[in-house]
Amino acid sequence: MDSEINPKYQSSAAIVEQVLKQVLSVVVPGISVASLCSYADSLVSAYTKSVHRKESEIERGASYPATVSVNNIIQNCSPSASEDTLLQEGDVVKIEVGAHIDGYVASAAHTVVATNHPGVVVEDRRADAISAAYYGSEVAARMIRPGQSARNLVKALGLVAAGFGCTVAEDTFTCQLDRFVMSGPNTFANRFNPDVLAPDFTFETGEMYTIDCTMSTGSGVARASTLDPAVYQRDVNHQYSLKLRTSRALFSEVCKRYSVFPFLMRDIVDANQSIKAGVSECVKSQLLVPFAVTMDKKAGSVVAQFKLTIMCHYSGPIRITRALPMAGNIRSATVVPEGSEIGQILALDCGQSALPDLPRLKTLIQAPVPTQQQQQQQSSAMDTC
């Protein structure tokens, strides 16, 4: 089966797995959200440069900038220094990483609770959201098989969410992949909407998908947060004659540095603040599309996310990205009965593609550490105990 999977998909998946593991290992209270994003982006850049080195001319890098979305934030959060925050004890932290080699994309996400006490069991609504997202992703993965319908997958995700007293978050999708394509024609929303025609097609052998399973203890209805968009993407199918010199300079720089994949706008404007004013016209003319940082509109809600990349094989689904286990201290009071519809789906087989070993990085990328102030607070708290 592995011989039927493009090795560049496998390399991308190995990079995503390694980066996720390294970033997850430093998720503790006191860590800056922006520093986690920067750390992940640096790792993706370094690892993608370390593989397929004989093909030096091919494009490689992040297929989507790393994002770290906390608590009720749903997606797309990569804060600037001015909007940065520190993780607090008990925060629910969603980390998403994407990479590509020559346009072959792998993407994954994982959710953990930031804590200095990993032995303390999490049994509240945070556990429900994380469990719902985890089991939802496992159910969806097992349904990417020839002849199974997208409509049934959406239905199954709704059943998982309801079982844990959660909802499927808006604006989260199962996306069909192709080379240099992150959202193919068979892309569909994971949340059922009675006002929108449900997807009506079956999965076919050879298709590749990313499944973004995001669950909320709230309504799941997304609204824009107060954070400025950081992630943008070119609309390569749209043309417009820009009027402002700053806009032309900005868009020219974007075209030089990026092809079809999303990117961080600050990587462009921080190097040349004079062209920052051109962002507005580029967005209004639809040459650039911003990805809004969204959050559940219900205050106090908790959002969790698990994401994976998978292939529809004639023998059944084959994971491209390897599944990382849910943290052992997450224990929802809800269990999935073995004989239930969802339990029967979870009992189905789901294969795993072999992933290559990655070369050791020649240059050490320094992991972020908690801020000194937060470390002092943690030390004082421990002394008091």
Coordinates of all heavy atoms in Angstrom, one line a residue, residues 169-223:
A169 N -18.0 22.7 15.4 CA -17.7 24.2 15.2 C -18.0 24.5 13.7 O -17.7 23.8 12.8 CB -16.3 24.5 15.6
E170 N -18.5 25.7 13.5 CA -18.7 26.3 12.2 C -17.3 26.5 11.5 O -16.3 26.7 12.1 CB -19.4 27.6 12.3 CG -20.9 27.6 12.3 CD -21.5 28.9 12.2 OE1 -20.9 29.9 12.5 OE2 -22.7 29.0 11.9
D171 N -17.4 26.6 10.1 CA -16.2 26.9 9.3 C -15.1 25.9 9.5 O -13.9 26.3 9.4 CB -15.8 28.3 9.6 CG -16.8 29.4 9.3 OD1 -17.7 29.1 8.5 OD2 -16.8 30.4 9.9
T172 N -15.4 24.7 9.8 CA -14.4 23.6 9.8 C -14.8 22.6 8.8 O -16.0 22.3 8.6 CB -14.3 23.0 11.2 OG1 -15.6 22.4 11.6 CG2 -13.8 24.0 12.2
F173 N -13.8 22.1 8.0 CA -14.1 21.3 6.8 C -13.3 20.0 6.7 O -12.2 19.9 7.3 CB -13.7 22.2 5.6 CG -14.5 23.5 5.5 CD1 -14.1 24.6 6.2 CD2 -15.7 23.6 4.8 CE1 -14.8 25.8 6.1 CE2 -16.4 24.7 4.8 CZ -16.0 25.9 5.4
T174 N -13.8 19.1 5.9 CA -13.0 18.0 5.4 C -12.7 18.5 3.9 O -13.5 18.7 3.1 CB -13.9 16.7 5.3 OG1 -14.1 16.3 6.7 CG2 -13.1 15.6 4.6
C175 N -11.4 18.6 3.7 CA -10.9 19.2 2.4 C -10.2 18.1 1.6 O -9.3 17.4 2.0 CB -9.9 20.3 2.7 SG -10.6 21.7 3.6
Q176 N -10.6 18.1 0.3 CA -10.0 17.2 -0.7 C -8.6 17.9 -1.1 O -8.6 19.1 -1.3 CB -10.8 17.0 -1.9 CG -10.3 16.0 -2.9 CD -11.1 15.8 -4.1 OE1 -11.9 16.7 -4.4 NE2 -10.9 14.8 -4.8
L177 N -7.6 17.0 -1.1 CA -6.3 17.5 -1.4 C -5.9 17.1 -2.8 O -6.3 16.0 -3.3 CB -5.2 17.0 -0.5 CG -5.3 17.4 1.0 CD1 -4.2 16.6 1.8 CD2 -5.2 18.9 1.2
D178 N -5.0 17.9 -3.4 CA -4.3 17.5 -4.6 C -3.0 18.2 -4.6 O -2.7 19.0 -3.7 CB -5.1 17.8 -5.9 CG -4.7 16.9 -7.1 OD1 -3.6 16.4 -7.1 OD2 -5.6 16.8 -8.0
R179 N -2.1 18.0 -5.6 CA -0.9 18.7 -5.6 C -1.1 20.2 -5.7 O -1.8 20.7 -6.6 CB 0.0 18.2 -6.7 CG 1.4 18.8 -6.7 CD 2.3 18.3 -7.8 NE 3.6 18.9 -7.8 CZ 4.3 19.2 -8.8 NH1 3.8 19.0 -10.1 NH2 5.5 19.7 -8.7
F180 N -0.6 21.0 -4.8 CA -0.8 22.5 -4.7 C -2.2 22.9 -4.5 O -2.6 24.0 -4.8 CB -0.2 23.2 -5.9 CG 1.4 23.2 -5.9 CD1 2.1 22.4 -6.8 CD2 2.1 24.0 -5.1 CE1 3.5 22.4 -6.8 CE2 3.4 24.0 -5.0 CZ 4.1 23.2 -5.9
V181 N -3.1 21.9 -4.1 CA -4.5 22.2 -3.9 C -4.8 21.8 -2.5 O -4.7 20.6 -2.1 CB -5.4 21.5 -4.9 CG1 -6.9 21.8 -4.6 CG2 -5.1 22.0 -6.3
M182 N -5.3 22.7 -1.6 CA -5.7 22.4 -0.3 C -7.2 22.3 -0.1 O -7.7 21.8 1.0 CB -5.2 23.5 0.7 CG -3.6 23.5 0.8 SD -3.1 24.7 2.0 CE -3.8 24.1 3.5
S183 N -8.0 22.7 -1.1 CA -9.4 22.6 -0.9 C -10.0 22.3 -2.3 O -10.4 23.2 -3.0 CB -9.9 24.0 -0.4 OG -11.3 23.9 -0.2
G184 N -10.0 21.0 -2.6 CA -10.5 20.5 -3.9 C -12.0 20.5 -4.1 O -12.7 21.0 -3.1
P185 N -12.5 20.1 -5.2 CA -14.0 20.1 -5.5 C -14.8 19.4 -4.5 O -16.0 19.7 -4.3 CB -14.1 19.6 -6.9 CG -12.8 18.8 -7.1 CD -11.8 19.5 -6.3
N186 N -14.3 18.3 -3.8 CA -15.1 17.5 -2.9 C -14.9 18.0 -1.5 O -15.2 17.2 -0.5 CB -14.7 16.1 -3.0 CG -15.4 15.4 -4.3 OD1 -16.2 16.0 -4.9 ND2 -14.9 14.2 -4.6
T187 N -14.5 19.2 -1.2 CA -14.4 19.8 0.1 C -15.8 20.1 0.6 O -16.7 20.6 -0.1 CB -13.6 21.1 0.1 OG1 -12.2 20.7 -0.3 CG2 -13.6 21.8 1.4
F188 N -16.1 19.8 1.9 CA -17.4 20.0 2.5 C -17.3 20.4 4.0 O -16.3 20.1 4.7 CB -18.3 18.8 2.3 CG -17.7 17.5 3.0 CD1 -18.1 17.2 4.3 CD2 -16.9 16.7 2.2 CE1 -17.6 16.0 4.8 CE2 -16.4 15.5 2.8 CZ -16.7 15.2 4.1
A189 N -18.3 21.1 4.5 CA -18.3 21.5 5.9 C -18.7 20.4 6.7 O -19.5 19.5 6.4 CB -19.4 22.6 6.0
N190 N -18.0 20.3 7.9 CA -18.3 19.2 8.8 C -19.5 19.4 9.7 O -20.0 18.5 10.3 CB -17.1 19.0 9.7 CG -15.9 18.4 9.0 OD1 -16.0 17.7 8.0 ND2 -14.7 18.8 9.4
R191 N -20.0 20.6 9.8 CA -21.1 21.0 10.6 C -22.4 20.9 9.7 O -22.5 21.6 8.7 CB -21.0 22.3 11.2 CG -22.2 22.8 12.1 CD -21.9 24.2 12.6 NE -23.0 24.9 13.2 CZ -23.2 25.0 14.5 NH1 -22.3 24.5 15.3 NH2 -24.3 25.6 15.0
F192 N -23.4 20.2 10.2 CA -24.7 20.1 9.4 C -25.4 21.5 9.5 O -25.5 22.1 10.6 CB -25.6 19.0 10.0 CG -26.9 19.0 9.3 CD1 -27.1 18.5 8.0 CD2 -28.0 19.5 10.0 CE1 -28.3 18.5 7.4 CE2 -29.3 19.4 9.4 CZ -29.4 19.0 8.1
N193 N -25.8 21.9 8.3 CA -26.6 23.2 8.3 C -27.9 22.9 7.5 O -27.8 22.6 6.3 CB -25.7 24.3 7.6 CG -26.4 25.6 7.5 OD1 -27.6 25.7 7.7 ND2 -25.6 26.7 7.3
P194 N -29.0 23.0 8.1 CA -30.3 22.7 7.4 C -30.6 23.6 6.3 O -31.4 23.3 5.4 CB -31.3 22.8 8.5 CG -30.7 23.7 9.6 CD -29.2 23.4 9.5
D195 N -29.9 24.8 6.2 CA -30.2 25.8 5.2 C -29.2 25.6 4.0 O -29.3 26.3 3.0 CB -30.0 27.2 5.7 CG -31.0 27.5 6.8 OD1 -32.1 27.0 6.7 OD2 -30.6 28.3 7.7
V196 N -28.3 24.6 4.1 CA -27.3 24.4 3.0 C -27.5 22.9 2.6 O -27.6 22.0 3.4 CB -25.9 24.6 3.5 CG1 -24.9 24.3 2.4 CG2 -25.8 26.1 3.9
L197 N -27.5 22.7 1.3 CA -27.6 21.3 0.8 C -26.4 20.5 1.3 O -25.3 20.8 1.1 CB -27.6 21.3 -0.7 CG -27.9 20.0 -1.5 CD1 -29.3 19.6 -1.1 CD2 -27.7 20.2 -3.0
A198 N -26.7 19.3 1.9 CA -25.7 18.4 2.4 C -24.9 17.9 1.3 O -25.4 17.7 0.2 CB -26.4 17.3 3.2
P199 N -23.6 17.6 1.5 CA -22.8 17.0 0.4 C -23.3 15.7 0.0 O -23.7 14.8 0.8 CB -21.4 16.9 1.1 CG -21.7 16.8 2.6 CD -22.9 17.7 2.8
D200 N -23.4 15.5 -1.3 CA -24.0 14.3 -1.8 C -23.0 13.6 -2.8 O -23.2 13.7 -4.1 CB -25.3 14.6 -2.5 CG -26.1 13.3 -2.9 OD1 -25.8 12.3 -2.4 OD2 -27.0 13.4 -3.8
F201 N -22.0 13.0 -2.3 CA -21.0 12.3 -3.2 C -20.4 11.2 -2.3 O -20.5 11.2 -1.1 CB -20.0 13.2 -3.8 CG -19.0 13.8 -2.7 CD1 -17.8 13.1 -2.4 CD2 -19.3 15.0 -2.1 CE1 -17.0 13.7 -1.4 CE2 -18.4 15.6 -1.2 CZ -17.3 14.9 -0.8
T202 N -19.8 10.2 -3.0 CA -19.1 9.1 -2.2 C -17.6 9.3 -2.5 O -17.1 9.8 -3.5 CB -19.6 7.8 -2.7 OG1 -19.4 7.6 -4.1 CG2 -21.1 7.6 -2.3
F203 N -16.8 8.8 -1.5 CA -15.4 8.8 -1.6 C -14.9 7.8 -2.6 O -15.5 6.7 -2.7 CB -14.7 8.6 -0.2 CG -15.2 9.6 0.8 CD1 -15.9 9.2 1.9 CD2 -14.9 10.9 0.7 CE1 -16.4 10.1 2.9 CE2 -15.4 11.9 1.6 CZ -16.1 11.4 2.7
E204 N -13.8 8.1 -3.3 CA -13.3 7.2 -4.3 C -11.9 6.9 -4.1 O -11.1 7.7 -3.5 CB -13.5 7.8 -5.7 CG -14.9 8.1 -6.1 CD -15.1 8.7 -7.5 OE1 -14.0 8.8 -8.2 OE2 -16.2 9.0 -7.9
T205 N -11.5 5.7 -4.5 CA -10.1 5.3 -4.4 C -9.1 6.3 -4.9 O -9.3 6.8 -6.0 CB -9.9 3.9 -5.1 OG1 -10.7 2.9 -4.5 CG2 -8.4 3.4 -5.0
G206 N -8.0 6.5 -4.1 CA -7.0 7.4 -4.6 C -7.1 8.9 -4.1 O -6.2 9.6 -4.2
E207 N -8.3 9.2 -3.6 CA -8.5 10.6 -3.1 C -7.8 10.8 -1.8 O -7.6 9.9 -0.9 CB -10.0 10.9 -2.9 CG -10.8 10.9 -4.2 CD -12.2 11.1 -4.0 OE1 -12.8 10.8 -2.9 OE2 -12.9 11.6 -5.0
M208 N -7.3 12.0 -1.6 CA -6.6 12.5 -0.3 C -7.5 13.5 0.3 O -8.0 14.4 -0.3 CB -5.2 13.0 -0.6 CG -4.3 12.1 -1.4 SD -3.7 10.7 -0.4 CE -2.6 11.7 0.7
Y209 N -7.5 13.5 1.7 CA -8.3 14.5 2.4 C -7.6 14.9 3.7 O -6.8 14.1 4.3 CB -9.7 13.9 2.8 CG -10.6 13.7 1.7 CD1 -10.7 12.5 1.0 CD2 -11.5 14.7 1.3 CE1 -11.5 12.3 -0.1 CE2 -12.4 14.5 0.2 CZ -12.4 13.3 -0.5 OH -13.3 13.1 -1.5
T210 N -7.9 16.1 4.1 CA -7.6 16.5 5.5 C -8.9 16.6 6.2 O -9.9 17.2 5.7 CB -6.9 17.8 5.6 OG1 -7.6 18.9 5.0 CG2 -5.5 17.7 5.0
I211 N -9.0 16.1 7.4 CA -10.2 16.2 8.2 C -10.0 17.0 9.4 O -9.1 16.7 10.3 CB -10.7 14.8 8.7 CG1 -10.9 13.8 7.5 CG2 -12.0 14.8 9.5 CD1 -11.1 12.4 7.9
D212 N -10.7 18.2 9.5 CA -10.5 19.1 10.6 C -11.7 18.9 11.6 O -12.8 19.4 11.3 CB -10.4 20.5 10.1 CG -10.3 21.6 11.2 OD1 -10.2 21.2 12.4 OD2 -10.2 22.8 10.9
C213 N -11.5 18.1 12.6 CA -12.6 17.9 13.6 C -12.5 18.8 14.8 O -11.6 18.6 15.6 CB -12.6 16.4 14.0 SG -14.0 15.9 15.0
T214 N -13.3 19.8 14.8 CA -13.3 20.8 15.9 C -14.6 20.8 16.6 O -15.7 21.0 15.9 CB -13.0 22.2 15.3 OG1 -11.7 22.1 14.6 CG2 -12.8 23.2 16.4
M215 N -14.6 20.6 17.9 CA -15.9 20.6 18.7 C -15.9 21.6 19.7 O -14.8 22.0 20.3 CB -16.0 19.2 19.3 CG -16.0 18.0 18.4 SD -17.5 17.8 17.5 CE -17.3 16.2 16.7
S216 N -17.1 22.1 20.1 CA -17.2 23.1 21.1 C -18.3 22.8 22.1 O -19.3 22.1 21.8 CB -17.6 24.4 20.4 OG -17.9 25.4 21.4
T217 N -18.0 23.2 23.4 CA -19.0 23.0 24.4 C -20.1 24.1 24.3 O -21.1 24.0 25.0 CB -18.4 23.1 25.8 OG1 -17.8 24.4 26.0 CG2 -17.4 22.0 26.0
G218 N -19.9 25.1 23.5 CA -20.9 26.1 23.2 C -21.7 25.9 22.0 O -22.0 24.7 21.7
S219 N -22.1 26.9 21.4 CA -23.0 26.8 20.2 C -22.3 26.3 19.0 O -22.9 25.8 18.1 CB -23.7 28.2 19.9 OG -22.7 29.1 19.5
G220 N -21.0 26.5 18.9 CA -20.3 26.2 17.7 C -20.4 27.2 16.7 O -19.7 27.2 15.6
V221 N -21.2 28.3 16.9 CA -21.3 29.3 15.9 C -20.1 30.3 16.0 O -19.8 30.8 17.1 CB -22.6 30.2 16.2 CG1 -22.7 31.3 15.3 CG2 -23.8 29.3 16.1
A222 N -19.5 30.5 14.9 CA -18.2 31.2 14.8 C -18.5 32.7 14.6 O -19.3 33.1 13.8 CB -17.3 30.7 13.7
R223 N -17.7 33.5 15.4 CA -17.7 35.0 15.1 C -16.3 35.4 15.2 O -15.4 34.8 15.8 CB -18.6 35.7 16.1 CG -18.1 35.6 17.6 CD -19.0 36.5 18.5 NE -18.6 36.4 19.9 CZ -17.7 37.2 20.5 NH1 -17.0 38.0 19.8 NH2 -17.4 37.0 21.8

